[in-house]
Amino acid sequence: MVIFRIFTVLILAIAATELAAAQQSAVQGLRMMRVRGNVLAIEDSDRVKVAADDGNVYSVTLLGVDAPDENQNYFKKARKRLSELVNGKEVTVMLRTNEQNEAFATIFVGGDDIGLHLIRDGLAWFSPSRAATQNDADQDRYKEAEASAKTAKQGLWDDKEPVAPWTFRGEKIGTTATAPATALKLSSPSESTTQPAPRSEPVPGRAYVLGPRGGCYYLNDQGIKIYVKDKSLCNKPQQ
């Protein structure tokens, strides 16, 4: 009996070590850095080429942003606006590169978040699929900017039925980005008190981690942090 218990403890210890190693490897798969540089070219309505001060040239897509594709309405306007905001200017780039070597970035000119600026101008959508590494606060800001642009009928929201770029490309994506603006309405303090948000149940086999700033996340198959709204998941026993 004692031997069996010792054997069980050893197996659990090995499993825990392998899980920790796998999680560490997954985190390393997502490379994050901060660079400064100058925008060399506007490659698309939401992608630019940056010559960084580390000597490298990066082609980056705006994090959490999806602007109209070529052959869509407002593509030229979105690309022109992006050019006005960043072309030839010194920028600060919060760069994230995943295992597929895809580069996404939040780009700042001074204190101006360029992706947020495009969404606020009604020239881009908030993209959940491109926001996997974006924290909850920034996602909320992008969603609020999109809702405000819709309400004001800014840019592409002046069209009767604007088509999201992922729909135009034929991608299947679960998103609330094209939901009516009322779906993004923020609750007042009284509403949040009387109508608490429903609690989620943890997915079996998924490890939820409480980050140093209080965010709750898990690592997907590519090792990218996926933040969840229900932070109580980090306090529930893992199954």
Side-chain angles (χ1 to χ4, degrees), residues 34-180:
R34 177 180 181 272
V35 298
R36 294 179 65 85
N38 293 85
V39 173
L40 294 178
I42 308 301
E43 299 185 309
D44 204 343
S45 55
D46 49 29
R47 188 175 68 252
V48 301
K49 183 176 290 185
V50 178
D53 54 9
D54 62 3
N56 293 314
V57 174
Y58 300 96
S59 176
V60 298
T61 299
L62 293 173
L63 182 68
V65 174
D66 204 346
D69 286 350
E70 192 171 5
N71 298 323
Q72 278 194 280
N73 290 339
Y74 290 92
F75 168 77
K76 291 182 179 179
K77 289 185 178 180
R79 195 173 188 278
K80 179 182 178 182
R81 184 58 176 147
L82 179 58
S83 177
E84 293 171 349
L85 292 170
V86 303
N87 200 22
K89 297 182 181 179
E90 185 175 2
V91 295
T92 300
V93 181
M94 306 303 293
L95 181 67
R96 296 162 170 85
T97 306
N98 61 24
E99 290 179 328
Q100 287 72 44
N101 208 35
E102 297 170 325
F104 293 89
T106 303
I107 298 178
F108 295 91
V109 174
D112 195 8
D113 180 339
I114 299 305
L116 180 63
H117 208 307
L118 284 178
I119 294 174
R120 187 182 295 131
D121 287 347
L123 294 173
W125 279 259
F126 165 68
S127 170
S129 67
R130 293 182 177 180
T133 60
Q134 196 175 40
N135 63 46
D136 289 347
D138 285 342
Q139 288 192 29
D140 288 342
R141 288 195 303 133
Y142 280 33
K143 291 176 183 178
E144 291 167 21
E146 183 182 272
S148 296
K150 288 180 182 179
T151 300
K153 296 187 181 299
Q154 282 281 101
L156 60 87
W157 300 112
D158 191 42
D159 282 1
K160 186 177 181 180
E161 294 182 357
V163 177
W166 52 84
T167 301
F168 183 78
R169 294 190 294 265
E171 298 173 1
K172 293 182 179 179
I173 177 173
T175 175
T176 57
T178 56

